[in-house]
Coordinates of all heavy atoms in Angstrom, one line a residue:
M287 N -15.1 -1.4 7.5 CA -14.1 -1.0 6.4 C -14.5 0.4 5.9 O -15.6 0.9 6.1 CB -14.2 -2.0 5.2 CG -15.5 -2.2 4.7 SD -15.6 -3.7 3.7 CE -17.2 -3.5 3.0
R288 N -13.6 1.0 5.1 CA -13.7 2.4 4.8 C -14.5 2.6 3.6 O -15.1 3.6 3.3 CB -12.3 3.0 4.6 CG -12.2 4.5 4.7 CD -10.9 5.0 4.8 NE -11.0 6.3 4.2 CZ -11.1 7.4 5.0 NH1 -11.3 7.2 6.3 NH2 -11.3 8.5 4.5
R289 N -14.4 1.7 2.6 CA -15.0 1.8 1.3 C -15.9 0.7 0.9 O -15.6 -0.5 1.4 CB -14.0 2.0 0.2 CG -12.9 3.1 0.5 CD -12.0 3.2 -0.8 NE -12.6 3.7 -1.9 CZ -12.6 5.2 -2.0 NH1 -12.0 5.8 -1.2 NH2 -13.3 5.7 -3.1
A290 N -17.0 1.0 0.1 CA -17.9 -0.1 -0.3 C -18.3 0.3 -1.7 O -18.5 1.4 -2.0 CB -19.0 -0.3 0.6
L291 N -18.8 -0.7 -2.4 CA -19.3 -0.4 -3.7 C -20.9 -0.4 -3.7 O -21.6 -1.1 -3.1 CB -19.0 -1.5 -4.7 CG -19.6 -1.5 -6.2 CD1 -19.0 -0.4 -6.8 CD2 -19.5 -2.9 -6.8
C292 N -21.4 0.8 -4.3 CA -22.8 1.1 -4.2 C -23.3 0.5 -5.5 O -22.9 0.7 -6.6 CB -23.1 2.5 -4.2 SG -24.8 2.9 -4.3
L293 N -24.5 -0.4 -5.4 CA -25.1 -1.0 -6.6 C -26.0 0.0 -7.2 O -26.4 -0.3 -8.4 CB -26.0 -2.3 -6.1 CG -25.1 -3.3 -5.4 CD1 -26.0 -4.5 -4.8 CD2 -24.1 -3.9 -6.4
V294 N -26.4 1.0 -6.6 CA -27.2 2.1 -7.4 C -26.5 2.8 -8.5 O -26.9 2.8 -9.6 CB -27.8 3.0 -6.4 CG1 -28.7 4.0 -7.1 CG2 -28.7 2.4 -5.3
D295 N -25.3 3.4 -8.1 CA -24.6 4.1 -9.0 C -23.2 3.4 -9.5 O -22.5 4.0 -10.2 CB -24.2 5.5 -8.5 CG -23.7 5.6 -7.1 OD1 -23.2 4.4 -6.8 OD2 -23.7 6.5 -6.5
R296 N -23.1 2.3 -9.1 CA -21.7 1.5 -9.5 C -20.5 2.2 -9.1 O -19.5 2.1 -9.8 CB -21.7 1.0 -11.0 CG -22.9 0.4 -11.4 CD -23.2 -0.9 -10.7 NE -22.2 -1.9 -10.9 CZ -22.3 -3.2 -10.3 NH1 -23.4 -3.3 -9.6 NH2 -21.2 -4.0 -10.5
K297 N -20.6 3.0 -8.0 CA -19.5 3.7 -7.6 C -19.0 3.3 -6.3 O -19.6 2.8 -5.4 CB -20.0 5.2 -7.5 CG -18.9 6.2 -7.1 CD -19.5 7.7 -6.9 CE -18.5 8.5 -6.2 NZ -19.1 9.8 -5.8
D298 N -17.6 3.3 -6.0 CA -17.2 2.9 -4.7 C -17.0 4.2 -3.8 O -16.4 5.1 -4.3 CB -15.9 2.1 -4.8 CG -14.6 2.9 -4.9 OD1 -14.3 3.0 -6.1 OD2 -14.1 3.3 -4.0
W299 N -17.7 4.1 -2.7 CA -17.9 5.2 -1.9 C -16.9 5.2 -0.7 O -16.8 4.0 0.0 CB -19.3 5.2 -1.3 CG -20.3 5.9 -2.3 CD1 -21.0 5.2 -3.2 CD2 -20.6 7.2 -2.4 NE1 -21.9 6.0 -3.9 CE2 -21.6 7.2 -3.4 CE3 -20.3 8.4 -1.7 CZ2 -22.2 8.5 -3.8 CZ3 -20.9 9.5 -2.1 CH2 -21.9 9.6 -3.1
D300 N -16.4 6.2 -0.3 CA -15.6 6.4 1.0 C -17.0 6.6 2.1 O -17.7 7.4 1.9 CB -14.8 7.6 0.9 CG -13.9 7.8 2.2 OD1 -14.5 8.4 3.1 OD2 -12.8 7.3 2.3
A301 N -16.6 5.9 3.1 CA -17.7 6.1 4.2 C -18.0 7.5 4.7 O -19.1 7.9 4.9 CB -17.4 5.1 5.4
E302 N -16.8 8.3 4.9 CA -17.1 9.7 5.3 C -17.7 10.5 4.2 O -18.6 11.3 4.6 CB -15.7 10.2 5.7 CG -15.3 9.7 7.0 CD -14.0 10.3 7.4 OE1 -13.8 11.6 7.4 OE2 -13.0 9.6 7.8
D303 N -17.4 10.4 2.9 CA -18.1 11.0 1.9 C -19.6 10.7 1.9 O -20.4 11.5 1.7 CB -17.5 10.7 0.5 CG -16.1 11.2 0.3 OD1 -15.6 12.0 1.0 OD2 -15.4 10.7 -0.7
F304 N -19.9 9.4 2.1 CA -21.4 9.0 2.1 C -22.0 9.6 3.2 O -23.1 10.2 3.1 CB -21.4 7.5 2.1 CG -22.8 7.2 1.9 CD1 -23.5 7.2 0.7 CD2 -23.4 6.6 3.1 CE1 -24.7 6.7 0.6 CE2 -24.9 6.2 2.9 CZ -25.4 6.2 1.8
D305 N -21.2 9.7 4.4 CA -22.0 10.3 5.6 C -22.2 11.7 5.3 O -23.2 12.3 6.0 CB -20.9 10.1 6.8 CG -21.7 10.3 8.1 OD1 -22.8 9.8 8.2 OD2 -21.0 10.9 9.0
N306 N -21.5 12.5 4.5 CA -21.9 13.8 4.2 C -22.9 14.2 3.2 O -23.3 15.3 3.0 CB -20.6 14.6 3.8 CG -19.5 14.6 4.8 OD1 -19.9 14.7 6.0 ND2 -18.2 14.6 4.4
L307 N -23.4 13.1 2.6 CA -24.6 13.2 1.7 C -25.9 13.6 2.5 O -25.9 13.4 3.6 CB -24.9 11.9 0.9 CG -23.9 11.5 -0.2 CD1 -24.4 10.3 -0.8 CD2 -23.8 12.6 -1.2
D308 N -26.8 14.3 1.9 CA -28.0 14.6 2.5 C -28.8 13.2 2.7 O -28.7 12.3 2.1 CB -28.8 15.6 1.8 CG -29.1 15.3 0.3 OD1 -29.8 14.3 0.2 OD2 -28.6 15.9 -0.6
D309 N -29.8 13.4 3.6 CA -30.6 12.2 3.9 C -31.3 11.5 2.6 O -31.3 10.3 2.6 CB -31.7 12.6 4.9 CG -31.1 12.8 6.3 OD1 -29.9 12.5 6.6 OD2 -31.8 13.2 7.2
F310 N -31.8 12.4 1.7 CA -32.5 11.7 0.7 C -31.6 11.1 -0.2 O -31.9 9.9 -0.7 CB -33.1 13.1 -0.3 CG -33.8 12.6 -1.4 CD1 -35.1 12.0 -1.4 CD2 -33.1 12.7 -2.6 CE1 -35.6 11.6 -2.6 CE2 -33.7 12.2 -3.9 CZ -35.0 11.7 -3.8
R311 N -30.4 11.4 -0.5 CA -29.3 10.7 -1.4 C -28.9 9.5 -0.6 O -28.7 8.4 -1.2 CB -28.2 11.7 -1.7 CG -28.9 12.6 -2.8 CD -27.8 13.8 -2.9 NE -26.6 13.4 -3.8 CZ -25.6 14.2 -3.8 NH1 -25.5 15.3 -3.1 NH2 -24.6 13.8 -4.6
Q312 N -28.8 9.6 0.8 CA -28.3 8.3 1.5 C -29.4 7.3 1.5 O -29.1 6.2 1.3 CB -28.0 8.8 3.0 CG -26.7 9.5 3.3 CD -26.4 9.5 4.7 OE1 -27.0 8.9 5.6 NE2 -25.4 10.3 5.0
E313 N -30.7 7.8 1.6 CA -31.8 6.9 1.7 C -31.9 6.0 0.4 O -32.2 4.9 0.4 CB -33.1 7.7 1.9 CG -34.2 6.9 2.5 CD -33.9 6.1 3.8 OE1 -33.3 6.6 4.7 OE2 -34.1 4.9 3.9
A314 N -31.7 6.7 -0.7 CA -31.7 6.0 -2.0 C -30.7 5.0 -2.1 O -30.7 3.9 -3.0 CB -31.4 7.2 -3.2
R315 N -29.7 5.0 -1.4 CA -28.6 4.0 -1.5 C -28.4 3.0 -0.3 O -27.7 2.1 -0.3 CB -27.3 4.7 -1.6 CG -27.1 5.5 -2.9 CD -26.0 6.5 -2.9 NE -25.7 7.0 -4.2 CZ -26.3 8.0 -4.7 NH1 -27.3 8.7 -3.9 NH2 -26.1 8.6 -5.8
R316 N -29.4 3.2 0.7 CA -29.3 2.4 1.8 C -29.6 0.9 1.5 O -30.6 0.6 0.8 CB -30.3 2.9 2.9 CG -29.9 2.6 4.3 CD -30.8 3.3 5.4 NE -30.7 4.7 5.4 CZ -29.7 5.3 6.0 NH1 -28.8 4.7 6.7 NH2 -29.6 6.7 6.0
G317 N -28.8 0.0 2.1 CA -29.0 -1.4 1.9 C -28.6 -1.8 0.4 O -28.8 -3.0 0.0
K318 N -27.9 -0.9 -0.4 CA -27.4 -1.2 -1.7 C -26.0 -1.3 -1.8 O -25.4 -1.0 -2.8 CB -28.0 -0.2 -2.7 CG -29.5 -0.1 -2.7 CD -30.2 -1.3 -3.5 CE -31.6 -1.0 -3.9 NZ -32.5 -0.7 -2.8
F319 N -25.2 -1.7 -0.7 CA -23.9 -1.7 -0.7 C -23.4 -3.0 -0.7 O -23.9 -3.9 0.0 CB -23.2 -0.8 0.4 CG -23.3 0.6 0.2 CD1 -24.4 1.3 0.8 CD2 -22.4 1.3 -0.5 CE1 -24.4 2.8 0.6 CE2 -22.5 2.7 -0.7 CZ -23.5 3.4 -0.1
V320 N -22.2 -3.3 -1.4 CA -21.5 -4.6 -1.2 C -20.0 -4.4 -1.1 O -19.5 -3.3 -1.4 CB -21.7 -5.4 -2.5 CG1 -23.2 -5.8 -2.6 CG2 -21.2 -4.8 -3.7
C321 N -19.3 -5.4 -0.5 CA -17.9 -5.4 -0.5 C -17.2 -5.3 -1.7 O -17.7 -5.9 -2.6 CB -17.4 -6.6 0.2 SG -15.7 -6.9 0.4
L322 N -16.2 -4.4 -1.8 CA -15.5 -4.2 -3.1 C -14.8 -5.5 -3.6 O -14.7 -5.7 -4.8 CB -14.4 -3.1 -3.0 CG -15.0 -1.6 -3.0 CD1 -13.9 -0.7 -2.5 CD2 -15.4 -1.3 -4.4
A323 N -14.3 -6.3 -2.6 CA -13.5 -7.5 -3.0 C -14.4 -8.6 -3.3 O -14.1 -9.4 -4.3 CB -12.5 -7.8 -1.9
C324 N -15.5 -8.9 -2.5 CA -16.0 -10.3 -2.6 C -17.6 -10.1 -2.9 O -18.1 -11.0 -3.3 CB -16.0 -11.1 -1.4 SG -17.1 -10.4 0.1
G325 N -18.1 -8.8 -3.1 CA -19.5 -8.6 -3.4 C -20.5 -9.1 -2.2 O -21.7 -9.1 -2.3
G326 N -19.9 -9.2 -0.9 CA -20.8 -9.7 0.2 C -21.6 -8.4 0.6 O -21.0 -7.3 0.4
K327 N -22.7 -8.5 1.1 CA -23.6 -7.5 1.4 C -23.0 -6.6 2.5 O -22.4 -7.1 3.5 CB -25.0 -8.0 1.9 CG -26.1 -7.0 2.1 CD -27.4 -7.8 2.3 CE -28.6 -6.7 2.7 NZ -28.6 -5.6 1.7
A328 N -23.0 -5.3 2.3 CA -22.4 -4.4 3.2 C -23.5 -3.3 3.7 O -24.4 -3.0 3.0 CB -21.3 -3.7 2.7
I329 N -23.3 -2.8 4.9 CA -24.2 -1.9 5.6 C -23.4 -0.6 6.1 O -22.2 -0.8 6.4 CB -25.0 -2.3 6.7 CG1 -24.3 -3.0 7.7 CG2 -26.1 -3.3 6.2 CD1 -25.0 -3.0 9.0
F330 N -23.9 0.5 5.8 CA -23.4 1.7 6.3 C -23.7 2.1 7.7 O -24.7 1.9 8.1 CB -23.8 2.9 5.4 CG -23.4 4.2 5.8 CD1 -22.0 4.5 5.7 CD2 -24.2 5.1 6.4 CE1 -21.5 5.8 6.1 CE2 -23.8 6.4 6.7 CZ -22.4 6.7 6.7
R331 N -22.6 2.4 8.5 CA -22.8 3.0 9.8 C -22.4 4.3 9.8 O -21.2 4.8 9.7 CB -22.1 2.1 10.8 CG -22.5 0.6 10.9 CD -21.6 -0.2 11.9 NE -21.7 -1.6 11.8 CZ -22.8 -2.3 12.4 NH1 -23.7 -1.7 13.0 NH2 -22.6 -3.5 12.2
S332 N -23.2 5.2 10.3 CA -23.0 6.6 10.3 C -22.1 7.0 11.5 O -22.1 6.2 12.4 CB -24.2 7.5 10.3 OG -24.9 7.1 11.5
A333 N -21.5 8.1 11.4 CA -20.5 8.6 12.5 C -21.3 8.7 13.7 O -22.5 9.3 13.8 CB -19.8 9.7 12.0
G334 N -20.7 8.4 14.8 CA -21.2 8.8 16.2 C -20.3 9.4 17.0 O -19.2 9.9 16.6
N335 N -20.4 9.4 18.3 CA -19.5 9.8 19.4 C -18.2 9.2 19.1 O -18.1 7.9 19.4 CB -20.0 9.6 20.8 CG -21.3 10.6 21.0 OD1 -21.5 11.4 20.4 ND2 -22.0 10.1 22.0
A336 N -17.2 10.0 18.9 CA -15.8 9.4 18.8 C -15.6 8.3 17.8 O -14.8 7.4 18.0 CB -15.3 9.1 20.1
R337 N -16.7 8.3 16.8 CA -16.6 7.0 16.0 C -16.7 7.6 14.5 O -17.7 8.3 14.3 CB -17.8 6.1 16.3 CG -17.7 4.7 15.5 CD -18.7 3.8 16.1 NE -20.1 4.5 16.0 CZ -20.9 4.0 15.1 NH1 -20.8 3.1 14.3 NH2 -22.3 4.6 15.0
K338 N -15.9 7.1 13.7 CA -16.0 7.5 12.2 C -17.0 6.7 11.6 O -17.2 5.6 11.9 CB -14.7 7.3 11.5 CG -13.5 8.4 12.0 CD -12.3 8.3 11.2 CE -11.5 9.5 11.5 NZ -10.3 9.6 10.6
A339 N -17.5 7.3 10.4 CA -18.4 6.6 9.7 C -17.7 5.3 9.0 O -16.5 5.4 8.7 CB -19.0 7.4 8.5
T340 N -18.3 4.3 8.8 CA -17.8 3.1 8.3 C -18.8 2.2 7.6 O -20.1 2.3 7.9 CB -16.9 2.3 9.4 OG1 -16.3 1.3 8.9 CG2 -18.1 1.8 10.5
F341 N -18.2 1.2 6.9 CA -19.0 0.3 6.2 C -18.8 -1.1 7.1 O -17.7 -1.4 7.4 CB -18.8 0.0 4.8 CG -19.4 1.2 4.0 CD1 -18.4 2.1 3.5 CD2 -20.7 1.3 3.7 CE1 -18.9 3.1 2.6 CE2 -21.1 2.3 2.9 CZ -20.2 3.3 2.4
S342 N -19.7 -1.9 7.2 CA -19.4 -3.2 7.6 C -20.1 -4.3 6.7 O -21.2 -4.1 6.3 CB -19.8 -3.4 9.1 OG -21.1 -3.9 9.2
A343 N -19.4 -5.4 6.4 CA -19.8 -6.2 5.4 C -19.8 -7.7 5.9 O -19.1 -8.0 6.8 CB -18.9 -6.2 4.1
R344 N -20.8 -8.5 5.4 CA -20.7 -9.9 5.6 C -19.9 -10.4 4.4 O -20.5 -10.8 3.2 CB -22.0 -10.5 5.5 CG -22.9 -10.4 6.8 CD -24.2 -11.0 6.5 NE -25.1 -10.6 7.6 CZ -25.6 -11.6 8.4 NH1 -25.6 -12.8 8.2 NH2 -26.3 -11.2 9.4
H345 N -18.6 -10.7 4.7 CA -17.7 -11.2 3.6 C -17.9 -12.7 3.3 O -18.4 -13.3 4.0 CB -16.3 -10.9 4.0 CG -15.9 -9.5 4.2 ND1 -15.6 -8.6 3.2 CD2 -15.7 -8.8 5.5 CE1 -15.5 -7.5 3.8 NE2 -15.5 -7.5 5.0
L346 N -17.8 -12.9 2.0 CA -17.8 -14.4 1.5 C -16.5 -15.0 2.0 O -15.4 -14.3 2.2 CB -18.0 -14.4 0.1 CG -19.3 -13.7 -0.5 CD1 -19.4 -13.8 -2.1 CD2 -20.5 -14.1 0.2
N347 N -16.5 -16.3 1.9 CA -15.4 -17.0 2.3 C -14.2 -16.7 1.4 O -14.3 -16.6 0.2 CB -15.5 -18.6 2.1 CG -16.4 -19.1 3.2 OD1 -16.5 -18.5 4.3 ND2 -17.0 -20.2 3.0
G348 N -13.0 -16.4 2.0 CA -11.8 -16.1 1.3 C -11.6 -14.6 0.8 O -10.7 -14.4 0.1
C349 N -12.5 -13.8 1.3 CA -12.5 -12.4 0.9 C -11.2 -11.8 1.5 O -10.9 -12.1 2.7 CB -13.5 -11.7 1.4 SG -13.5 -9.9 1.0
C350 N -10.4 -11.1 0.7 CA -9.1 -10.6 1.3 C -9.5 -9.4 2.3 O -8.4 -8.9 2.9 CB -8.2 -10.1 0.1 SG -8.9 -8.8 -0.9
L351 N -10.6 -8.9 2.3 CA -10.9 -7.8 3.2 C -11.5 -8.2 4.5 O -11.9 -7.5 5.4 CB -11.9 -6.7 2.5 CG -11.3 -6.0 1.3 CD1 -12.4 -5.0 0.8 CD2 -10.0 -5.2 1.8
N352 N -11.7 -9.5 4.6 CA -12.3 -10.2 5.9 C -11.3 -10.2 7.0 O -10.3 -11.0 6.8 CB -12.9 -11.5 5.5 CG -13.6 -12.1 6.6 OD1 -13.6 -11.5 7.7 ND2 -14.4 -13.1 6.2
P353 N -11.5 -9.5 8.0 CA -10.5 -9.5 9.1 C -10.4 -10.9 9.6 O -9.2 -11.3 10.2 CB -11.1 -8.6 10.2 CG -12.4 -8.1 9.7 CD -12.6 -8.7 8.3
Q354 N -11.3 -11.7 9.7 CA -11.3 -13.1 10.2 C -10.4 -13.9 9.3 O -9.6 -14.7 9.9 CB -12.7 -13.8 10.3 CG -13.4 -13.2 11.5 CD -14.9 -13.7 11.5 OE1 -15.2 -14.4 10.7 NE2 -15.4 -13.5 12.6
A355 N -10.5 -13.7 8.0 CA -9.6 -14.5 7.2 C -8.1 -14.2 7.4 O -7.3 -15.1 7.4 CB -9.9 -14.1 5.7
W356 N -7.8 -12.9 7.8 CA -6.5 -12.6 8.1 C -6.0 -13.3 9.3 O -4.9 -13.7 9.5 CB -6.4 -11.0 8.4 CG -6.3 -10.3 7.1 CD1 -7.2 -9.5 6.4 CD2 -5.0 -10.1 6.3 NE1 -6.6 -8.9 5.2 CE2 -5.3 -9.4 5.2 CE3 -3.8 -10.7 6.5 CZ2 -4.5 -9.1 4.2 CZ3 -2.8 -10.4 5.5 CH2 -3.1 -9.5 4.4
T357 N -6.9 -13.4 10.3 CA -6.5 -14.1 11.5 C -6.2 -15.6 11.3 O -5.2 -16.0 11.6 CB -7.7 -14.1 12.5 OG1 -8.2 -12.8 12.7 CG2 -7.2 -14.6 13.9
V358 N -7.0 -16.1 10.4 CA -6.7 -17.5 10.0 C -5.4 -17.6 9.3 O -4.5 -18.5 9.5 CB -7.8 -18.1 9.2 CG1 -7.5 -19.5 8.6 CG2 -9.1 -18.2 10.1
F359 N -5.2 -16.6 8.5 CA -4.1 -16.7 7.5 C -2.8 -16.6 8.4 O -1.8 -17.3 8.3 CB -4.1 -15.5 6.6 CG -3.0 -15.4 5.6 CD1 -2.8 -16.4 4.6 CD2 -2.0 -14.3 5.6 CE1 -1.7 -16.3 3.8 CE2 -1.0 -14.5 4.7 CZ -0.8 -15.3 3.8
R360 N -2.8 -15.8 9.4 CA -1.7 -15.5 10.3 C -1.5 -16.7 11.2 O -0.3 -17.2 11.3 CB -2.0 -14.4 11.2 CG -1.8 -13.0 10.6 CD -1.4 -12.0 11.7 NE -1.3 -10.6 11.1 CZ -1.8 -9.6 11.4 NH1 -2.6 -9.6 12.5 NH2 -1.7 -8.5 10.9
Y361 N -2.6 -17.5 11.6 CA -2.5 -18.6 12.3 C -1.7 -19.8 11.6 O -1.0 -20.5 12.1 CB -3.8 -19.0 12.8 CG -3.8 -20.4 13.5 CD1 -3.4 -20.5 14.9 CD2 -4.3 -21.5 12.9 CE1 -3.5 -21.6 15.5 CE2 -4.5 -22.7 13.5 CZ -4.0 -22.8 14.9 OH -4.0 -24.0 15.5
L362 N -2.0 -19.8 10.3 CA -1.5 -20.9 9.4 C 0.0 -20.7 9.1 O 0.7 -21.6 8.7 CB -2.2 -21.0 8.2 CG -3.7 -21.4 8.3 CD1 -4.5 -21.5 7.0 CD2 -3.7 -23.0 8.9
Q363 N 0.4 -19.5 9.3 CA 1.8 -19.2 8.9 C 2.9 -19.8 9.8 O 2.8 -19.7 10.9 CB 2.1 -17.7 8.7 CG 1.7 -17.1 7.4 CD 2.0 -15.7 7.4 OE1 2.0 -15.0 8.3 NE2 2.4 -15.2 6.2
Ligands
LIG447 ZN1 -15.3 -8.9 1.3

């Protein structure tokens, strides 16, 4: 996902903005991200070859940002 809430500064970060921070400021926030919707723990993945920076989270049950929940929701329709 593209955005996550940082518990250090209570700010919601865009993954690409965070990727542009220097190492020192990234390090201070590493492991301190949660999903904006459910508060599930999120981790930052920096940009790589042909891949944009992103956050990935362990969403709690029923989180609206959980792609798996969407699959189930579609199935039930
Ligand atoms: Zn979530």
Side-chain angles (χ1 to χ4, degrees):
M287 62 193 185
R288 201 179 152 87
R289 306 185 74 90
L291 178 69
C292 177
L293 296 175
V294 175
D295 52 18
R296 307 301 295 181
K297 183 179 162 185
D298 78 272
W299 280 89
D300 181 278
E302 284 184 48
D303 289 345
F304 186 74
D305 199 36
N306 290 330
L307 286 182
D308 56 62
D309 285 351
F310 178 77
R311 289 160 80 196
Q312 281 192 16
E313 199 57 46
R315 292 168 173 82
R316 207 172 290 280
K318 300 283 199 304
F319 283 100
V320 295
C321 171
L322 282 163
C324 71
K327 193 168 170 52
I329 55 165
F330 173 71
R331 294 183 197 277
S332 57
N335 290 343
R337 188 173 58 108
K338 289 190 168 184
T340 183
F341 291 103
S342 84
R344 276 177 191 240
H345 297 285
L346 304 183
N347 283 343
C349 176
C350 61
L351 294 180
N352 187 345
Q354 285 178 353
W356 275 103
T357 310
V358 172
F359 184 65
R360 283 204 180 132
Y361 175 76
L362 290 173
Q363 272 184 327

